[in-house]
Amino acid sequence: MRFRHPDGSTVHLAYCTNVHPAETLDGVLAQLRDHCEPVRRRLGRDRLGIGLWLAKEAARALVTDPSALRGLRTELDRRGLEVVTLNGFPYEGFGSGEVKYRVYRPDWADPARLEYTTALARVLGRLLPEDVTEGSISTLPLAWRTAHTDERAETARTALTTLGERLDALAELTGRSIRVGLEPEPGCTVETTHDALAPLAAIGHDRIGICVDTCHLATSFEDPQSALDALARARVPVVKSQLSAALHAEHPHLPEVRAALAAFDEPRFLHQTRTDTAAGLRGTDDLGAALNGDALPDARPWRAHFHVPLHAAPAAPLTSTLPVLRAALARLVGGPRPLTRHLEVETYTWQALPPELRPRGRAQLADGIAAELTLARDLLTDLGLKELP
């Protein structure tokens, strides 16, 4: 979906396909047929933006086989789909029964991460629509914190510097500018937007910036206005933003609130949980660790890294951080010039929701994704953007 900003530029809205498990190119093609095109039809649009997740195997197949890449581009066109952004955070296995800490490997100190991201950039350069010259890729925020020694930090910095040089060469060769954004996430070396400032300054490349995930922003209790203003002052480019909402518990000391939270404690993904205390941010790596014992103070609200559907907040006594998303979006695209032109709805946890909230079958999932995109569209038009055909 495309929108005209009051400054005349085009803002792209997509939804991320990491919600649909696929490790191979055949799996990606099946996603387009079984999920993406049905969402487009529900929205009544001739064209729908999707943020592709390409696992290692699919990316390798596309970058080594020009005919496969042409075939994917043809299939996108045939189904009324377009791609301006990729999710390059998960490397492989995102659809497995237990992801947890595995999603942070390989990190940026491992050469495999550089090669994978380079492959994604080359693929994206060929998938961009004919009238689009800028693409974006979100990536791991360096590493999970316990794996990040000084030596590995230096190796990661060198890898990202090399990536910047490769992106420059790609732009010169193709005329397409691909940018990569570190995506701050709780528990990682770069947990907050503030944490990103020093590493990005050290890299010092205008094609390496930040991806602002509004669920992660909220989970870490960052104020959207302050965070985005700091990025603007530091001239850190917001490569893209993922529109997502975290789980919010206003009174976590109450037994009924604990019971409601426990329904979201599931075995597949990490649900890092945070509270903002007088002494600063406190947290646990997973929701279960917060619920069991006294690892996390409960005198103030808790937020958990669980991407809840944008249009359907959890039932009381829980809610979502949709207000944080609204505030972030107002700063991102509501001003005289957009801070980013790539927006991506990223609710990948539909099948990790409590059983009674999960979609039953493809049709209900498509309905839910379409409802999220409709909400995002309405937020954008309320900010003065005009939806384009």
Side-chain angles (χ1 to χ4, degrees):
M1 300 169 75
R2 297 187 184 191
F3 298 81
R4 181 73 68 206
H5 190 273
D7 77 343
S9 63
T10 299
V11 173
H12 295 265
L13 173 66
Y15 91 88
C16 186
T17 64
N18 63 353
V19 63
H20 312 304
E23 298 289 319
T24 66
L25 180 55
D26 285 345
V28 171
L29 295 173
Q31 286 178 351
L32 306 184
R33 179 193 67 227
D34 297 338
H35 300 289
C36 303
E37 186 176 9
V39 170
R40 178 183 65 77
R41 293 186 181 280
R42 279 163 172 77
L43 291 166
R45 306 291 302 169
D46 293 332
R47 173 175 54 191
L48 175 68
I50 57 171
L52 271 182
W53 173 57
L54 298 171
K56 172 193 68 172
E57 183 177 336
R60 182 179 294 125
L62 289 167
V63 83
T64 58
D65 184 351
S67 65
L69 188 51
R70 288 193 299 270
L72 175 58
R73 176 62 186 270
T74 298
E75 193 70 2
L76 289 166
D77 293 341
R78 187 168 75 88
R79 298 193 182 278
L81 306 169
E82 67 177 12
V83 175
V84 303
T85 189
L86 301 179
N87 187 330
F89 194 132
Y91 181 74
E92 62 184 345
F94 201 63
S96 64
E98 181 178 336
V99 178
K100 298 289 184 180
Y101 295 95
R102 291 172 49 196
V103 75
Y104 307 106
R105 299 192 298 267
D107 64 27
W108 272 102
D110 186 326
R113 176 62 64 170
L114 173 60
E115 296 312 312
Y116 169 63
T117 310
T118 300
L120 292 180
R122 291 172 177 161
V123 168
L124 181 57
R126 296 289 303 276
L127 292 182
L128 289 176
E130 294 298 330
D131 61 344
V132 174
T133 59
E134 295 184 358
S136 62
I137 302 170
S138 48
T139 190
L140 178 78
L142 301 183
W144 184 254
R145 66 184 186 281
T146 55
H148 207 58
T149 63
D150 289 345
E151 181 180 2
R152 291 180 69 82
E154 178 60 23
T155 302
R157 187 195 67 79
T158 300
L160 283 162
T161 300
T162 300
L163 176 66
E165 294 168 351
R166 292 179 180 181
L167 295 176
D168 284 343
L170 185 64
E172 185 174 351
L173 180 66
T174 67
R176 304 293 181 89
S177 176
I178 308 299
R179 298 192 298 169
V180 174
L182 304 182
E183 181 185 333
E185 176 164 316
C188 292
T189 300
V190 175
E191 171 156 340
T192 66
T193 56
H194 182 268
D195 293 337
L197 298 181
L200 289 173
I203 296 162
H205 199 290
D206 61 4
R207 286 196 171 91
I208 310 292
I210 195 168
C211 167
V212 175
D213 184 303
T214 58
C215 170
H216 303 172
L217 191 81
T219 301
S220 295
F221 286 86
E222 289 195 82
D223 173 67
Q225 182 79 27
S226 300
L228 294 169
D229 284 353
L231 292 174
R233 286 193 301 271
R235 299 192 176 185
V236 171
V238 181
V239 170
K240 65 186 279 190
S241 179
Q242 289 172 326
L243 307 183
S244 53
L247 192 62
H248 180 94
E250 186 69 19
H251 302 292
H253 64 285
L254 296 176
E256 60 269 29
V257 176
R258 295 288 187 111
L261 284 170
F264 288 84
D265 179 25
E266 55 83 38
R268 186 171 172 187
F269 300 110
L270 275 188
H271 301 296
Q272 302 94 311
T273 305
R274 299 288 185 266
T275 186
D276 193 17
T277 73
L281 203 64
R282 293 279 302 277
T284 59
D285 284 356
D286 214 345
L287 180 56
L291 291 169
N292 298 323
D294 56 0
L296 199 61
D298 60 7
R300 294 188 180 184
W302 286 3
R303 290 176 178 172
H305 173 217
F306 195 117
H307 290 219
V308 296
L310 302 186
H311 67 293
L318 304 178
T319 187
S320 81
T321 60
L322 185 63
V324 176
L325 185 159
R326 291 176 183 269
L329 196 59
R331 181 67 180 91
L332 286 165
V333 300
R337 290 177 301 278
L339 297 184
T340 185
R341 295 184 177 87
H342 291 179
L343 305 173
E344 178 183 65
V345 171
E346 198 217 9
T347 304
Y348 59 83
T349 45
W350 282 96
Q351 299 302 336
L353 290 166
E356 67 276 11
L357 301 179
R358 294 174 195 167
R360 293 185 295 276
R362 293 176 185 169
Q364 284 195 0
L365 178 57
D367 289 342
I369 293 170
E372 288 194 294
L373 287 167
T374 298
L375 182 146
R377 179 198 65 196
D378 292 346
L379 293 178
L380 291 172
T381 56
D382 286 347
L383 290 170
L385 283 74
K386 180 181 178 181
E387 187 176 7
L388 298 174

